[in-house]
Amino acid sequence: MTEQSPPRWASETFWKKTAIWVTGGSFVLLVILSFDSMKQISAGGPRVPAYSVINKDISYRFDKAKQRYQPTIGEDAPLFGKTLSEEEAEKLVDHGKKTVQAKNCMNCHTLLGNGAYYAPDLTKAWLDQGWGAKESREQMMVNFLLDPEKNARTYGSNRKMPNLDITPPEAEAIVAFLKWMSSIDTNGFPHNFIALGEEDK
């Protein structure tokens, strides 16, 4: 009586080869997805506008076709009254981003879903109705960053931002970063957020 050989799938060699192919295939897929993700989140793409978007009016409205909220880019509205080139805008936004990182803002705030929940989410801070009016928003934001105690905006929470010794150039750069960040399509987050200037629309 001849001894039957085990099926191929039961051999050690088969599973070793399978593991190698699965690992290799997963690695290739990861590389492809990584490049796609970088394309999706790079400034200048369909979901993340170029830095020069800070020269435009930015709002946040409900899109009936997509059934979700999304940023809208409108007419010219230069930040601090100065139209910047793409290079100048990128430099200013980058300065703001690095200042936010250096001051550890995410220890209290959330940005694009990352950070803490002690203080307000800053993803759409530029659009917050708390700034009162579009005409005074830029200066109010700068004043608040320079002297949070004097320009406190607690809205009954009694949570106050400490003075982080932010300089005027840093404050303007942070405002530029927040304006640019508000233009990013965050897939409808936050939902039911009514932007400044959209109250009666």
Side-chain angles (χ1 to χ4, degrees), residues 7 9 19 21 69 72 85 102 109 113 144-145 150-152 170 189 195:
W9 59 266
W21 278 104
Y69 284 84
T72 57
S85 66
H109 297 278
F144 174 72
L145 291 167
K150 184 178 178 182
N151 300 281
E170 288 175 337
F189 174 83

Side-chain angles (χ1 to χ4, degrees), residues 38-99:
M38 291 302 295
K39 180 181 178 183
Q40 296 295 331
I41 65 174
S42 296
R47 299 179 69 89
V48 183
Y51 297 105
S52 56
V53 74
I54 62 174
N55 293 318
K56 301 289 184 180
D57 179 57
I58 301 169
S59 194
Y60 190 67
R61 297 173 187 157
F62 186 76
D63 187 309
K64 291 182 179 178
K66 295 181 179 178
Q67 284 298 297
R68 64 178 173 85
Y69 284 84
Q70 69 173 41
T72 57
I73 312 302
E75 300 296 321
D76 290 344
L79 194 61
F80 303 110
K82 182 182 178 184
T83 300
L84 302 177
S85 66
E86 178 63 22
E87 184 179 349
E88 291 171 328
E90 180 177 0
K91 186 176 179 180
L92 184 62
V93 170
D94 187 59
H95 184 196
K97 178 183 177 183
K98 288 177 178 175
T99 302

Side-chain angles (χ1 to χ4, degrees), residues 142-174:
V142 168
N143 291 345
F144 174 72
L145 291 167
L146 293 176
D147 192 345
E149 184 69 28
K150 184 178 178 182
N151 300 281
R153 311 183 72 74
T154 63
Y155 302 105
S157 69
N158 291 322
R159 297 178 179 180
K160 295 183 179 180
M161 177 172 154
N163 192 320
L164 300 175
D165 296 320
I166 294 172
T167 65
E170 288 175 337
E172 292 191 0
I174 291 173

